[in-house]
Amino acid sequence: RCIQDDEVGSIHFEQLKACFSALMEGKDPVVITAMFEMKMLMLSGYSPVVEECIHCGNHVGPFKLSGYAGGILCSRCAAQDASLPILSETSLKLLRLFKSIDLRQVGNINLSPPTKQEICNQMRILLDMQLGIHFKTRGFLDNLGKLV
């Protein structure tokens, strides 16, 4: 559990309700699920650093995503770990958007299949490494779009 029963507030419910509403409206389930996962990360107290390199503050890419560090690393700081996935510019912009937008305000976002897969993979890295737990609801999250 990343959120305890006594910590649940109206914002948790509102974001979940907005997630279901967006799915019922036919919005892309991959995008909506990734946005919801980002919101759950943030509501759990983990806010991935995607605005600048988490180590040196560099704003110039290319960047790689480090779940262990909790954000993005510039090429200089990521040089020691060649296994880190390189972030496309599109995915980096999406991660920034997912942090800043309220699910109640989401419009239609159309992504290519490779970008959708990249976003899914990045969110899994962040969830697994930052929370240190595997959601019992992982199957639910993975199949969220099939509910509509």
Side-chain angles (χ1 to χ4, degrees), residues 1-19 32-48 98-104 123 126-127 130-131 133 135 141:
R1 286 187 121 160
C2 59
I3 300 171
Q4 300 302 318
D5 289 339
D6 59 344
E7 295 174 344
V8 176
S10 64
I11 188 69
H12 300 89
F13 175 73
E14 291 299 325
Q15 292 301 297
L16 180 60
K17 187 170 117 178
C19 176
I32 299 302
T33 301
M35 291 176 114
F36 182 73
E37 289 170 339
M38 179 66 82
K39 295 302 174 195
M40 290 302 100
L41 258 179
M42 294 171 63
L43 290 169
S44 299
Y46 299 96
S47 184
F98 292 173
K99 275 186 69 175
S100 64
I101 195 166
D102 188 307
L103 275 164
R104 294 171 287 190
M123 289 309 303
L126 289 169
L127 287 167
Q130 287 300 303
L131 295 180
I133 59 172
F135 287 122
L141 289 171

Side-chain angles (χ1 to χ4, degrees), residues 84-131:
L84 294 175
I86 296 174
L87 280 172
S88 68
E89 189 64 30
T90 301
S91 291
L92 181 58
K93 287 178 183 177
L94 287 167
L95 288 175
R96 290 173 176 164
L97 175 69
F98 292 173
K99 275 186 69 175
S100 64
I101 195 166
D102 188 307
L103 275 164
R104 294 171 287 190
Q105 301 170 333
V106 173
N108 285 323
I109 300 175
N110 297 313
L111 303 176
S112 67
T115 301
K116 287 181 187 183
Q117 188 60 52
E118 185 179 0
I119 288 293
C120 285
N121 292 342
Q122 292 161 355
M123 289 309 303
R124 290 295 175 263
I125 289 168
L126 289 169
L127 287 167
D128 292 346
M129 295 301 289
Q130 287 300 303
L131 295 180

Side-chain angles (χ1 to χ4, degrees), residues 23 27-30 33 139-148:
L23 292 171
K27 294 179 180 165
D28 190 320
V30 172
T33 301
F140 171 76
L141 289 171
D142 288 341
N143 294 311
L144 195 55
K146 296 176 184 173
L147 295 175
V148 271

